Amino acid sequence: MLVAMILITGATGTIGSLVLSALRQHGAEVRTMTRDPERLAATSALSAEQIVRGDLDQPESLPAALAGVDTVFLLTAFGPRLPEQEQNLVAAATTAGVQRIVKLSAISTGEDPTGTRPADWHLPGEQAVRGSGLAWTVLRPAGFASNALQWAESVRAGLPVPNTSGTGAQGVVDPRDVAEVATAALLSPEHDGTVYTLTGPETLSVPDQTAVLAAELDRPVPVVEVDLATVRQQMLAAGMDESIVKVTEYGLDQFRRGDADFVTDDVQRVLGRPALSFAAWVREHRAAFENGD
Ligand SMILES: NC(=O)c1ccc[n+]([C@@H]2O[C@H](COP(=O)([O-])OP(=O)(O)OC[C@H]3O[C@@H](n4cnc5c(N)ncnc54)[C@H](OP(=O)(O)O)[C@@H]3O)[C@@H](O)[C@H]2O)c1
């Protein structure tokens, strides 16, 4: 029997690196794709055969990455290039004879698309995957618990955490749960043809999350409210692309109105255990928030 080869795109990022570890623990045959193989080789224990150079913006780089691959984990960096990049990958995978794609998407994708929400960038890729004729699974996670690392510098310095989403709450999900569900879908046909919406066990606003941080760190974690006009100004001043500023602003507005204020039991259904809590994630990462004195 041929050994199935799984290609992991986004293997150097938050979710992809966890998918890589989980697949290796299962003894799966893996290949990782990156734009910078030398950097990955220098920072991992992967063999040269397990690393391939590939750029989703360069379709000509994809056939070599996909040669002999049976299953693909498709993860693309958030941004306006995402739809075309995913379409490039799906076209190349179909030509290369890939059998299954597991695509990382985002919560609320496909629901009343306006073309102006962050999740709308995932819709063309979802449509390409679902219309490819290959076996597929789509994962739509809520906001990652690891986004809280953006606050680490402020928390270490005792400065307030900026709250750009008011009282808007979401089912903050642990990246480990996202990666474990992805791994299950990559390894078993049981999940083919399914869209999973992945959330944590409860919805949390930014003040709820900082309260969890404060309890775990045993010191106050203050919050400062930031309105949308200020967020927009700050993003533009930081040189962010206008298209990213626009969808981020729209997404934050929807979020403030409670767009993502729900949880699902999809993590439990796939993994057979409850989703991990934000408090559990903080306990694993508390060193990032402590200043070491
Ligand atoms: N953060 C959240 O709360 C959240 C919630 C729901 C969904 N999502 C979705 O999750 C995805 C991001 O996941 P993540 O946080 O794990 O990613 P990440 O840590 O930002 O890593 C991005 C990865 O994309 C790769 N990449 C970037 N441009 C590429 C290109 N042109 N060709 C090939 N690879 C490229 C990078 O690899 P190299 O640099 O090594 O090439 C890197 O491994 C996005 O699609 C986002 O919409 C995020």
Side-chain angles (χ1 to χ4, degrees):
M1 194 180 91
L2 282 175
V3 180
M5 168 75 79
I6 302 174
L7 178 73
I8 308 169
T9 66
T12 59
T14 304
I15 302 295
S17 58
L18 292 169
V19 170
L20 171 62
S21 310
L23 284 173
R24 295 183 85 195
Q25 274 169 21
H26 282 273
E29 200 71 25
V30 292
R31 183 184 293 161
T32 56
M33 188 177 101
T34 172
R35 292 165 298 172
D36 190 347
E38 289 77 23
R39 185 169 50 108
L40 181 54
T43 54
S44 73
L46 293 165
S47 68
E49 297 72 44
Q50 289 175 313
I51 305 175
V52 66
R53 188 190 171 280
D55 187 332
L56 294 165
D57 279 323
Q58 296 173 356
E60 67 281 6
S61 70
L62 301 178
L66 288 160
V69 165
D70 178 75
T71 300
V72 173
F73 177 61
L74 174 56
L75 182 148
T76 314
F78 179 65
R81 301 278 315 135
L82 196 155
E84 194 178 331
Q85 291 175 340
E86 296 199 326
Q87 286 162 333
N88 287 342
L89 191 284
V90 174
T94 310
T95 306
V98 165
Q99 303 291 307
R100 167 178 296 115
I101 299 185
V102 175
K103 171 180 152 45
L104 187 84
S105 186
I107 197 162
S108 301
T109 299
E111 286 164 25
D112 190 21
T114 59
T116 44
R117 303 182 316 170
D120 291 337
W121 278 337
H122 280 287
L123 189 56
E126 281 200 13
Q127 287 166 337
V129 166
R130 292 197 264 174
S132 63
L134 312 181
W136 59 266
T137 307
V138 166
L139 311 179
R140 295 176 175 170
F144 301 159
S146 50
N147 294 346
L149 290 172
Q150 293 165 17
W151 307 330
E153 200 179 329
S154 300
V155 173
R156 283 198 304 271
L159 296 170
V161 164
N163 178 17
T164 57
S165 46
T167 54
Q170 61 176 324
V172 177
V173 65
D174 192 311
R176 290 172 294 181
D177 283 348
V178 179
E180 280 192 39
V181 171
T183 301
L186 289 162
L187 293 176
S188 165
E190 198 185 321
H191 308 284
D192 290 352
T194 310
V195 177
Y196 291 116
T197 297
L198 306 176
T199 71
E202 60 187 334
T203 61
L204 298 169
S205 64
V206 168
D208 293 335
Q209 284 183 277
T210 53
V212 172
L213 267 171
E216 291 296 333
L217 300 173
D218 198 22
R219 63 187 169 87
V221 177
V223 174
V224 60
E225 298 300 320
V226 184
D227 63 30
L228 284 185
T230 309
V231 176
R232 179 178 178 75
Q233 250 174 12
Q234 288 172 345
M235 286 190 291
L236 289 171
M240 282 172 75
D241 188 277
E242 171 68 33
S243 64
I244 297 187
V245 172
K246 204 168 146 199
V247 295
T248 305
E249 198 181 9
Y250 190 87
L252 282 174
D253 187 47
Q254 295 289 101
F255 185 45
R256 282 168 175 257
R257 292 165 196 256
D259 204 31
D261 194 355
F262 62 92
V263 295
T264 72
D265 64 356
D266 285 0
V267 169
Q268 165 90 51
R269 276 170 56 210
V270 177
L271 302 181
R273 58 151 178 85
L276 296 167
S277 67
F278 182 63
W281 180 89
V282 172
R283 281 194 286 277
E284 285 287 317
H285 295 87
R286 60 179 302 150
F289 299 94
E290 287 171 334
N291 50 24
D293 36 68

